[in-house]
Amino acid sequence: MGYRDDLYAVTDRFFNQVVMEFGRTNAMGSERVKKFQPFQKKNYDDIIRRFEIHMKQTALMSMSDIEIPAEDEAAQKLAADFAQCKKTFLRLCEVNMQFYDLQNRKVRRQGATVKEFKEISLAVSLALNSARRDMNELENQYKEMKGVIKEE
């Protein structure tokens, strides 16, 4: 059952090292956007860099090199759920970077339009919903395999 332990390790690392840090980055960025600082220029470059780090960490994670027996459907599903979750999470990081880049353009008075804010806000919302759905699927499959929840 070593392959299952490898699958668990990748999933644990994804949630604990990447998703948790993403949450901190997102909270930090949101707080900075909301905070009123009339005499202080805001800069979101560090937030963008943090999202780039999350993307690099995620891109390095993979389950494709783990040999999963074809008869272990639960493990196959976990690997497929991880691949889908990885894809949507990378998209979420990408649109968040675009959002904070737009915030930088606004602060620097480099032409950020209301239309662009609407479009990027919609993109962030859609990406967040997709990532949340896929993370829930991955978490549920992980818990089911670990025996935390039983199938109904």
Side-chain angles (χ1 to χ4, degrees):
M1 284 298 207
Y3 68 92
R4 280 191 166 213
D5 291 334
D6 293 340
L7 294 173
Y8 298 149
V10 172
T11 306
D12 285 337
R13 202 171 46 230
F14 175 68
F15 279 114
N16 295 326
Q17 293 177 2
V18 179
V19 175
M20 295 297 285
E21 280 302 312
F22 172 87
R24 289 183 189 99
T25 301
N26 207 32
M28 187 185 334
S30 295
E31 186 176 316
R32 195 173 302 170
V33 167
K34 292 177 187 174
K35 200 172 197 179
F36 181 66
Q37 297 171 321
F39 302 110
Q40 190 175 22
K41 288 233 179 201
K42 293 181 183 180
N43 185 326
Y44 300 95
D45 291 339
D46 61 320
I47 303 293
I48 293 170
R49 276 193 298 278
R50 288 177 65 113
F51 283 119
E52 287 172 347
I53 290 168
H54 302 323
M55 288 180 76
K56 286 177 186 171
Q57 289 174 325
T58 302
L60 292 174
M61 293 182 180
S62 176
M63 291 185 177
S64 62
D65 58 338
I66 300 171
E67 292 186 36
I68 305 169
E71 63 273 4
D72 192 343
E73 292 177 15
Q76 293 284 348
K77 181 166 176 12
L78 183 72
D81 287 348
F82 177 77
Q84 179 61 35
C85 188
K86 179 178 170 179
K87 182 178 159 185
T88 56
F89 182 78
L90 289 171
R91 174 69 182 142
L92 178 61
C93 288
E94 181 183 310
V95 296
N96 270 286
M97 288 169 51
Q98 292 170 0
F99 173 80
Y100 288 105
D101 181 58
L102 190 61
Q103 291 292 338
N104 267 341
R105 287 180 25 216
K106 176 184 152 194
V107 168
R108 295 172 185 154
R109 301 185 192 282
Q110 295 176 336
T113 66
V114 173
K115 182 181 178 190
E116 287 178 300
F117 274 105
K118 285 181 182 178
E119 288 172 355
I120 196 66
S121 294
L122 178 62
V124 168
S125 177
L126 293 173
L128 181 60
N129 288 338
S130 295
R132 185 179 296 139
R133 178 198 64 227
D134 292 343
M135 282 186 212
N136 285 338
E137 284 288 320
L138 178 62
E139 181 182 22
N140 289 339
Q141 184 62 26
Y142 174 86
K143 286 178 178 179
E144 188 176 306
M145 279 181 62
K146 290 276 259 193
V148 177
I149 57 175
K150 303 291 181 205
E151 283 188 45
E152 296 173 8

